[in-house]
Amino acid sequence: RTAHGALSYRLKREGAAYVLTLAPGAVPPGGFALRWPEGATPPARVTIDGQAAEWVDGELSIPVGARRVEMR
């Protein structure tokens, strides 16, 4: 549980991709931020609910209401 509601998610590997699935619940102002480990290169191709997205300085901004993040 967070200050903005319950956070429920699943991160799994599907072939060469990582798939993050977010369940309804937490609604943080501005969405979520996913940080890739420092020193590691984040996946080059990312989609959030089917729309192209980009890492900025090792961080991926995930908007409120997003449900599926695919990283390849």
Side-chain angles (χ1 to χ4, degrees):
R1 185 146 181 88
T2 73
H4 304 288
L7 175 60
S8 181
Y9 68 92
R10 178 179 182 182
L11 178 63
K12 66 178 184 173
R13 189 135 194 185
E14 290 184 3
Y18 294 99
V19 177
L20 173 65
T21 305
L22 297 161
V27 186
F32 298 96
L34 177 62
R35 212 96 183 109
W36 202 254
E38 192 171 325
T41 302
R45 295 184 320 190
V46 180
T47 61
I48 299 175
D49 293 335
Q51 301 296 311
E54 293 184 10
W55 298 91
V56 177
D57 297 327
E59 188 171 282
L60 181 65
S61 292
I62 303 171
V64 170
R67 295 291 170 250
R68 184 177 174 91
V69 180
E70 294 184 35
M71 301 168 274
R72 299 181 187 276

